[in-house]
Amino acid sequence: MEKSRPLWDNPVQFVFACISYAVGLGNVWRFPYLCQMYGGGGFLIPYFIMLIVEGMPLLYMELAVGQRMRQGSIGAWKIISPYLCGVGVASVVVSFFLSMYYNVINAWAFWYLFHSFQDPLPWATCPLNSNRTGYEEECEKTSSTQYFWYRQTLNISPSLEVSGAVQWEQALCLTLAWLVVYLCILRGTESTGKVVYVTASLPYCVLIIYLIRGLTLHGAVNGLIYMFTPKLEQLSNPKTWISAATQIFFSLGLGFGSLIAFASYNEPSNNCERHAIIVSLINSATSIFASIVTFSIYGFKATFNYESCINKVILLLLNAFDLEEGSLTADNLNEMKDYLMATHPQEYAQLLPQLKNCSLEAELDTAVQGTGLAFIVYSEAIKNMEVSQLYSVLYFVMLLMLGIGSMLGNTAAILTPLTDSKVIATRFPKEVISGVVCFINCIIGLIFTMEAGNYWFDIFNDYAATLSLLLIVLVETIAVCYIYGLRRFEKDLHTMIGRKLNWYWKVMWAFASPLLIISLFIFYLTDYILTGTLQYQAWDGTQVKQLFIYLFILIPSRIQPSFLKCPLKAAGIDAYVRAEPSH
């Protein structure tokens, strides 16, 4: 059977496949947020420590298991022990859950890409109302980019209880996204191996273009200074270390079975140790590179908003006090405010509610991640660039490449165990198996194209896999070190790569990594319990604000995703638009 197993054309193709899978949307929209929240450049200290203690060792272990056993997740763990078959099944189930909702991001990227060819961009200005006498009220109260996202893209409902109808435009984009994924995985490694060259390399080309453009934008330096200024006091915050460990864990895609599936198509003599180091370092370097690009955009957006705010205040004061044009500038604004307040106290007091407190630091402190960063913040920055259509097309093509690359790994985690099964593989060709998996995911994924679909997306994204993956990888490390046996596994590796296993890998696998995973598991479990009634954020189109809706989560002790019960009451809290945690 080993001889008939498909193989990658060369080791480089395997590395590209791993990079395409590991380097995903989290590198672009999650890592910059964590830098912003937990100490700027100081966050890199716990991040690289976690990479050494957790990231590299666990990535190497999964690649080695897949290459040695030459099976998908179910078959590989079944070879290690018949009692561990459930670990592989759990990986497949979690990957199936992820595939159900993850591809809707690609659908949104297609939607924005198609609209990027319009001049002006449709999210650049607010649309006119039905009477064509003014702008849409909801858009005027918020911003054109938020209105395009929440109303024209999602047509979002006020709560999860109001499910609404399927949005046919989004349903068509989702169908297109799944069709593209199907064509990429149609012939297994034969087709996937060619696609990963594009999905792995094209995002770097776009990021380089954006870096060059971003560094030339007005105010980009403000964002970079904000990013690289270390706030070392955050190192004493336990959440900083937890966030660093979590980012490394989920960014590399551990526990899903995708890495095991990819490695199973390697030559038995492939140097998976070297490839594990290369992939983990490239993944982390990409996160930092993407953060530089993101913070240059942040700086431009924050500076643009700050200067716009200053100009509005100046114009308001000039008109209210009939001042000479040019007498009031950004440099003397505070002095003039004090002067006007002293000389015209009553008029100034009446005007005071309309005077905004403009702050560049406050603009830079606005923390946004997830879909809020990808589809609101970036699109707002793009609309203010010259040749905005070009940069919009490049950006959303990059998102598509990142999303499709991750989907190739997610589907491989599902398909490899199915095609390894003699019962299924002998009755159905690979193309049919792939088609059925994609079709089922696409049909279920229509839930996320409903008016309440974005709420379901956030809930799945936050709660569907976190605890499950931590438990899966914990069982994997225990299985390799204490059931299969670390000495036995060391001999297998010596046979494969031709040299003895370094003490570093043995210490990490046997002690450090399991203890770290247990700590993460306890933290998340405790956090769920202490949080009590959990919430999700809802968009109220009538008041143009976000509401925090309560919901109950049942956290099972078994290896499976969280189950939702019905949403309860809403507690209205006026909030700035920000995305929920994305893993």
Side-chain angles (χ1 to χ4, degrees), residues 289-343:
F289 181 40
S291 293
I292 295 173
V293 176
T294 299
F295 274 94
S296 67
I297 301 294
Y298 264 155
F300 166 66
K301 173 184 172 292
T303 304
F304 182 88
N305 290 344
Y306 170 69
E307 292 179 350
S308 297
C309 178
I310 291 288
N311 291 333
K312 287 179 182 178
V313 171
I314 290 175
L315 183 61
L316 188 62
L317 291 174
L318 288 175
N319 293 334
F321 295 97
D322 197 22
L323 300 174
E324 184 180 348
E325 190 172 348
S327 62
L328 196 56
T329 64
D331 295 328
N332 67 359
L333 179 60
N334 290 329
E335 291 82 357
M336 286 297 293
K337 278 184 177 181
D338 295 337
Y339 170 76
L340 293 171
M341 184 168 58
T343 56

Side-chain angles (χ1 to χ4, degrees), residues 506-525:
K506 290 187 280 188
V507 171
M508 292 301 108
W509 288 342
F511 304 106
S513 294
L515 289 175
L516 182 58
I517 296 171
I518 291 172
S519 301
L520 288 174
F521 187 83
I522 293 173
F523 170 80
Y524 276 105
L525 195 60

Side-chain angles (χ1 to χ4, degrees), residues 61-75:
M61 185 190 73
E62 288 206 350
L63 294 183
V65 167
Q67 184 171 310
R68 172 64 183 88
M69 306 308 169
R70 300 183 63 75
Q71 291 281 315
S73 56
I74 296 177

